[in-house]
């Protein structure tokens, strides 16, 4: 509500808030006019008469801002406005338009055309490598922040992700499945142990009990499933205040595993009295889901029904498809159908080479081919 009061017989400008009849506050306000003496470095305050400020049109003189852009062409005016007030997307479009402009006085022969297009292509490629989030190295660096260690040059699915980056050797050594290996092949005994397992984990144990696996293979998958059971317990716990020793004692999870999982998927927040709060952010939750997803792939030989995870994670199928694409999975053809009991099945698989890298390399090849076409047309 600031207004400018122009004196008709002086050059002073008084600026203040309007408490006139046109506002909610109808009381008047006093203004003090300050006159600065630069020589004596003093200011003289003069209290004018009480007045109300009101809006009105003044046509005698034009505002100094009226003709600010009058000396520019329409396109130049738009350019200035975009540079000053435009969005990031608008500024990128403006820069792209500038990069595509070739000045007429610079064109005289096919040789010069070739040089011009090479320079333009170099500028575009540099900007793409600096700004494009889909750049190969940028994408790999970003994915390493929330995915287990992976090999971009892997030739088979088991070689893509390193199981040791999910379950460390120290954790693997404390996973005791001797009793579980005796129970899993006896359905009536397995049912009695149901209360000790997460629903997703128990479903996987039932699946393993029906598979004709060798002893070593069964032991490996049981250890992976047991570790998954521990991860699911933490997944359902967004934060906790208890010391890690107490968590290990109450849950039956080995302390080595408790320390490892909390270190990777929880933030430590100091509290008064030397207490610590372990809290999991949304970013760390995404990371935990990716680790759980990949461990499930190891257990199921790199083919997975997303519906099982949807029911466990309390996410819809679209959300779980997003996680599967981030990991590098593809839809398994011919395995999206209704299962017995009315449940739906949506199967995905992980195979080499990594899906997101294959797609990106295809895009990069397309960019390179387009540059070669531009250069060829310039020569012609």
């Amino acid at each position: 509500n600031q207004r400018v009061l122009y004196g008709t017989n002086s050059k002073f400008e008084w600026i203040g808030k309007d408490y006139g009849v046109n506002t909610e506050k109808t009381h008047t306000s006093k203004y003090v006019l300050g006159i600065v003496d630069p020589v004596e470095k003093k200011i003289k305050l003069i209290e004018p008469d009480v007045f109300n400020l009101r809006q009105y049109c003044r046509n005698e003189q034009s505002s100094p801002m009226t003709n600010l852009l009058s000396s520019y062409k329409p396109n130049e005016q738009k350019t200035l406005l975009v540079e000053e007030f435009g969005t990031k997307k608008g500024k990128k479009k403006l820069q792209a338009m500038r990069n595509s402009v070739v000045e007429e006085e610079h064109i005289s022969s096919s040789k010069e055309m070739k040089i011009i297009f090479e320079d333009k292509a170099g500028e575009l490629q540099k900007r793409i490598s600096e700004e494009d989030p889909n750049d190969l190295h940028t994408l790999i660096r970003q994915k390493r922040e929330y995915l287990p260690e992976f090999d971009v040059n892997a030739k088979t699915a088991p070689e893509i992700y390193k199981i040791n980056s999910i379950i460390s050797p120290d954790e693997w050594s404390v996973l005791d499945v001797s009793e579980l290996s005796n129970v899993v092949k006896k359905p009536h005994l397995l049912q009695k142990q149901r209360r000790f397992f997460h629903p997703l984990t128990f479903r996987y144990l039932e699946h393993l009990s029906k598979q004709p696996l060798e002893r070593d293979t069964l032991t490996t998958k049981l250890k992976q499933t047991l570790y998954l059971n521990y991860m699911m317990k933490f997944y359902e716990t967004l934060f906790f205040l208890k010391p890690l020793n107490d968590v290990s004692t109450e849950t039956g999870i080995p302390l080595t595993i408790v320390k490892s999982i909390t270190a990777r998927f929880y933030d430590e927040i100091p509290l008064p009295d030397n207490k610590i709060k372990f809290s999991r952010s949304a970013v760390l939750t995404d990371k935990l889901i990716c680790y759980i997803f990949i461990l499930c792939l190891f257990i199921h030989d790199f083919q997975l029904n997303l519906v099982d995870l949807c029911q466990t994670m309390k996410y819809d199928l679209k959300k779980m498809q997003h996680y599967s694409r981030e990991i590098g999975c593809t839809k398994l053809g011919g395995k999206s159908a209704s299962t017995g009991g009315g449940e739906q099945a949506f199967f995905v698989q992980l195979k080499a080479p990594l899906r997101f890298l294959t797609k990106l390399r295809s895009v990069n090849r397309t960019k390179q081919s387009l540059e070669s076409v531009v250069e060829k047309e310039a020569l012609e």
Side-chain angles (χ1 to χ4, degrees):
N1 290 326
Q2 284 192 337
R3 304 288 184 265
V4 178
L5 178 67
Y6 290 87
T8 55
N9 297 321
S10 67
K11 296 181 180 180
F12 295 124
E13 291 183 2
W14 296 346
I15 304 176
K17 293 183 179 179
D18 180 7
Y19 293 111
V21 296
N22 294 328
T23 63
E24 294 180 359
K25 299 179 180 180
T26 57
H27 62 277
T28 58
S29 173
K30 289 185 179 182
Y31 290 84
V32 177
L33 176 64
I35 301 177
V36 179
D37 187 341
V39 178
E40 297 183 2
K41 296 184 179 179
K42 294 182 179 180
I43 181 171
K44 183 179 180 181
L45 301 179
I46 302 174
E47 184 176 338
D49 296 333
V50 177
F51 57 86
N52 291 334
L53 293 178
R54 292 189 180 91
Q55 288 180 307
Y56 66 96
C57 295
R58 184 184 179 107
N59 296 324
E60 293 89 336
Q61 297 179 0
S62 61
S63 170
M65 294 294 293
T66 303
N67 298 322
L68 179 63
L69 301 176
S70 60
S71 60
Y72 294 92
K73 297 178 181 179
N75 288 337
E76 294 175 338
Q77 293 181 14
K78 291 181 180 179
T79 300
L80 289 174
L81 291 174
V82 170
E83 289 178 343
E84 187 67 24
F85 305 106
T87 61
K88 187 176 180 180
K89 184 177 180 181
K91 291 178 180 179
K92 283 188 175 182
K93 287 184 178 180
L94 178 61
Q95 187 61 40
M97 291 173 59
R98 286 176 172 172
N99 290 335
S100 63
V101 173
V102 179
E103 301 293 340
E104 185 177 354
E105 60 268 18
H106 296 159
I107 302 175
S108 61
S109 65
S110 61
K111 182 178 180 180
E112 291 185 356
M113 281 289 294
K114 178 182 178 180
I115 295 174
I116 289 173
F117 277 108
E118 286 178 347
D119 292 342
K120 292 293 181 183
E123 293 176 5
L124 290 173
Q125 186 63 36
K126 182 180 179 181
R127 192 170 74 254
I128 289 172
S129 62
E130 292 176 351
E131 301 179 1
D132 189 2
N134 291 327
D135 177 70
L136 180 60
H137 300 291
T138 303
L139 181 64
I140 292 176
R141 185 175 63 254
Q142 291 174 345
K143 287 187 176 294
R144 290 195 189 281
E145 294 178 359
Y146 58 89
L147 292 180
E149 182 182 348
F150 58 86
D151 183 4
V152 296
N153 299 314
K155 303 298 182 182
T156 62
E159 296 174 341
I160 294 178
Y161 290 100
K162 308 301 180 184
I163 190 64
N164 288 344
S165 64
I166 302 175
I167 309 174
S168 68
D170 290 340
E171 293 174 291
W172 190 266
S173 63
V174 298
L175 288 169
D176 185 7
V177 294
S178 56
E179 182 179 352
L180 187 58
S181 60
N182 295 326
V183 171
V184 73
K185 290 298 182 180
K186 300 176 182 179
H188 66 285
L189 295 178
L190 183 60
Q191 287 295 330
K192 292 182 180 180
Q193 302 293 323
R194 188 183 191 115
R195 68 182 186 278
F196 298 111
F197 297 98
H198 188 275
L200 177 67
T201 309
F202 189 78
R203 191 179 300 120
Y204 286 178
L205 288 174
E206 287 182 317
H207 173 76
L208 291 175
S209 67
K210 302 173 184 177
Q211 303 299 314
L213 301 174
E214 295 181 359
R215 184 177 183 83
D216 291 343
T217 303
L218 178 62
T219 300
T220 297
K221 289 191 177 295
L222 286 177
K223 283 195 172 189
Q224 293 170 350
T225 306
L226 182 59
Y227 192 86
L228 174 64
N229 191 63
Y230 296 154
M231 295 185 81
M232 293 308 304
K233 288 184 178 181
F234 277 98
Y235 174 76
E236 295 179 342
T237 306
L238 199 58
F239 67 91
F240 58 92
L241 300 172
K242 295 180 180 179
L244 298 185
N245 288 327
D246 293 347
V247 173
S248 175
T249 302
E250 293 179 8
T251 61
I253 302 175
L255 182 59
T256 301
I257 296 177
V258 171
K259 290 181 177 180
S260 177
I261 292 179
T262 53
R264 282 183 291 180
F265 306 113
Y266 287 85
D267 293 318
E268 294 187 14
I269 304 175
L271 297 176
D273 300 329
N274 295 325
K275 294 183 179 180
I276 297 177
K277 177 182 178 180
F278 295 91
S279 178
R280 193 177 70 236
S281 64
V283 174
L284 290 176
T285 297
D286 286 338
K287 181 179 179 180
L288 178 57
I289 291 175
C290 289
Y291 273 63
I292 290 173
F293 200 119
I294 295 170
L295 185 55
C296 291
L297 286 169
F298 271 96
I299 297 171
H300 278 273
D301 296 324
F302 306 98
Q303 295 184 7
L304 194 61
N305 181 9
L306 292 189
V307 175
D308 291 338
L309 289 179
C310 290
Q311 297 171 350
T312 299
M313 305 294 185
K314 309 302 181 183
Y315 286 132
D316 57 21
L317 183 59
K318 185 177 181 181
K319 181 73 172 179
M320 294 313 302
Q321 284 180 275
H322 171 74
Y323 282 112
S324 70
R325 287 192 294 268
E326 286 296 313
I327 291 169
C329 294
T330 57
K331 181 180 177 182
L332 187 60
K335 284 202 173 185
S336 178
S338 176
T339 61
E343 296 182 352
Q344 293 295 317
F346 189 99
F347 287 88
V348 295
Q349 65 178 345
L350 179 69
K351 62 180 181 179
L354 276 171
R355 176 67 176 176
F356 58 80
L357 296 180
T358 304
K359 182 178 180 181
L360 184 60
R361 285 166 180 156
S362 176
V363 173
N364 289 338
R365 284 197 298 269
T366 303
K367 291 179 181 177
Q368 295 173 1
S369 62
L370 287 175
E371 290 174 4
S372 62
V373 170
V374 171
E375 181 179 343
K376 181 178 180 181
E377 291 179 349
L379 292 174
E380 294 176 352

